[in-house]
Amino acid sequence: MRVLIVGSGIAGPTLAYWLARTGHEPTLVERAPQPRRGGYLVDFWGAGFDVAERMGIAAELHRSGHHLTEARSVDRRGRRVASFPAEAVVGDLGDRYVTIARSDLASTIMSALDGRVETLFGETVAAVDDVDGAVHVRFASGTSRDFDLVVGADGLHSAVRTLTFGAQEQFERYLGMVVAVFEVEGYAPRTEGAAVMHADVGFQLLRVSLRDDVTMFCVSLRHDDGLAAVPDGPQEQQALLRHRLAGAGWETPAVLDAMGSARTFFFDRVSQIRMPSWTRGRVALVGDAAACPSFLAGQGSALAMVEAYVLAVELARADGDHARAFARYHERLGPLLRSKQDAAVGLGLAFAPRSRAALAVRNVAMRLMGLPYVPNLVMGRSLRDAVELPAVPVA
């Protein structure tokens, strides 16, 4: 089948890879003029790692990834509040775990396509018309083409979802926070191998030293004024951060000064997408477009790869019956993704405490994570995805 995939982040290229492997003709389109850079670090494990291994890219992910050894929390004066070694949390996963920039993960997946998939940058969909056994697509450039299937892999703000299922507000669950991630060259101090964070009421600032004298900062900020109050442009977004973090402690003033010269800047609201179905007719959604678990879950990229793989395999197993494949896709993954979404909702306490009491609870939890056996007790279940990946059918 000719399959249009909208979005070249994580889910889109993964789906394209497996569709091409199973005999279909995928076409990738991406709104951005080139592969996106920047974005936050992701902890990559579980069933998503299984998919990466089946694609033969696990070793490259380790080469591109960052092997952090410590998570450390400090107070407004930089004094250590709590810390724990990374191996205390992920020790039993061995080499089946890596921390990697989301853009590096996406780049590695794209490289695995090895030029075998038609890819159009600087393009997106303007209209999707599912009629007479095909999907007629009009692109923003004005050209039109017909496809057997269309898959929206275009993230939280999916154009395919809006065109096919309706307005975003029907499905978006805003969690009352925004997140900003930016990279700065030449920032000091550096703390090699550690994720250093400072939390206070309403926010958390995370600093991670990357390669080549680059430092990544991640700010999670409580923002309860509603979606309408979330700014759109980068200047307004940075102004919001400077206003809300004025007077904050630790290195926050220096970080805000450096933000203006950041080489990348990402900002978005922290939301989930919850839908009764991810498919309609010959159109399907995958990744954050279908069931975004939010930045708080920490597993969105790995889950996106799982969704893409399962969708491709079910299409291969259904022998052309896309309706049967779509149904099996939702049946296999619905419970897993709902559980990940539910678990993420309560994690706002860690990323942006609402009160002094909540901050105290967060700090106690961080200290407990440094005790033997506690990390495995707390994290053990979440490090193992309750899903069995289907095998790719042999032609």
Side-chain angles (χ1 to χ4, degrees), residues 147-210:
F147 296 89
D148 297 300
L149 302 176
V150 170
V151 180
D154 45 346
L156 174 65
H157 309 284
S158 170
V160 174
R161 186 182 60 238
T162 298
L163 290 169
T164 305
F165 296 85
Q168 173 145 333
E169 53 263 30
Q170 298 179 62
F171 312 111
E172 181 176 0
R173 181 179 182 182
Y174 177 55
L175 300 183
M177 294 173 57
V178 295
V179 59
V181 185
F182 47 98
E183 296 176 346
V184 174
E185 295 179 337
Y187 181 87
R190 291 175 60 84
T191 311
E192 305 294 342
V196 185
M197 63 201 83
H198 168 61
D200 209 330
V201 176
F203 80 97
Q204 177 181 271
L205 170 61
L206 170 71
R207 167 167 62 78
V208 180
S209 300
L210 306 180

Side-chain angles (χ1 to χ4, degrees), residues 71-140:
R72 181 189 308 172
S73 184
V74 299
D75 66 13
R76 62 181 297 112
R77 297 182 181 178
R79 298 174 300 190
R80 189 183 306 242
V81 172
S83 67
F84 55 89
E87 61 265 24
V89 178
V90 302
D92 60 345
L93 293 180
D95 63 356
R96 297 179 53 76
Y97 176 99
V98 64
T99 298
I100 187 169
R102 189 180 185 279
S103 58
D104 288 337
L105 174 59
S107 176
T108 302
I109 299 170
M110 284 291 288
S111 295
L113 299 180
D114 198 26
R116 293 169 295 172
V117 173
E118 178 187 20
T119 304
L120 308 174
F121 285 98
E123 183 65 281
T124 190
V125 294
V128 176
D129 191 11
D130 182 0
V131 293
D132 298 328
V135 188
H136 183 70
V137 176
R138 179 167 56 83
F139 293 102

